[in-house]
Amino acid sequence: MLTSKQRAYLRALANSIDTILMVGKGGLSEQIFKSADEAVTARELIKGKVLESCEMSVREVAEAIADEIKADVVQVIGTKFVLYRKNEDEPIIVLPRSRK
């Protein structure tokens, strides 16, 4: 679970990355889940877009993909969403520490 500080940090990082995952008329399929899983494993942070032809809302798509690939939804804004999952083997992004 991400803290608000970590979420804000990831949102700032996501501003500069390109959208690499598109969900359209076909909706969610095994290929979308596989692509998302591979991308988030390689990059840790990915940005996706839901096209108008998709019957699901952006929030529904983001949460469904996150649940399937065990990632966190960082942000949903407009037609875009950002997902994060730490790569345990080779971490790329160092999150700010959470207070405990």
Side-chain angles (χ1 to χ4, degrees), residues 55-82:
E55 295 178 3
M56 297 173 72
S57 74
V58 180
R59 170 78 52 193
E60 291 171 333
V61 169
E63 289 178 357
I65 293 172
D67 285 345
E68 182 73 23
I69 67 171
K70 312 253 184 307
D72 289 307
V73 178
V74 175
Q75 180 179 34
V76 175
I77 187 164
T79 60
K80 296 190 178 181
F81 60 91
V82 178

Side-chain angles (χ1 to χ4, degrees), residues 12-83:
L13 290 177
N15 283 333
S16 62
I17 65 174
D18 293 327
T19 303
I20 60 167
L21 189 66
M22 301 280 202
V23 180
K25 187 177 180 181
L28 296 175
S29 65
E30 281 302 314
Q31 186 59 39
I32 295 286
F33 293 133
K34 184 175 185 253
S35 297
D37 188 45
E38 290 172 357
V40 85
T41 299
R43 303 169 186 232
E44 291 187 330
L45 188 69
I46 63 168
K47 190 184 289 184
K49 181 175 182 174
V50 177
L51 304 176
E52 289 182 20
S53 59
C54 184
E55 295 178 3
M56 297 173 72
S57 74
V58 180
R59 170 78 52 193
E60 291 171 333
V61 169
E63 289 178 357
I65 293 172
D67 285 345
E68 182 73 23
I69 67 171
K70 312 253 184 307
D72 289 307
V73 178
V74 175
Q75 180 179 34
V76 175
I77 187 164
T79 60
K80 296 190 178 181
F81 60 91
V82 178
L83 301 176

Side-chain angles (χ1 to χ4, degrees), residues 2-3 5-13 43-45 84-88 90-98:
L2 297 171
T3 65
K5 189 177 227 179
Q6 292 169 336
R7 199 173 298 279
Y9 177 73
L10 291 171
R11 280 197 312 263
L13 290 177
R43 303 169 186 232
E44 291 187 330
L45 188 69
Y84 169 78
R85 183 180 71 201
K86 182 177 181 177
N87 184 336
E88 297 297 335
E90 299 174 21
I92 299 168
I93 298 171
V94 179
L95 294 176
R97 291 226 181 249
S98 60

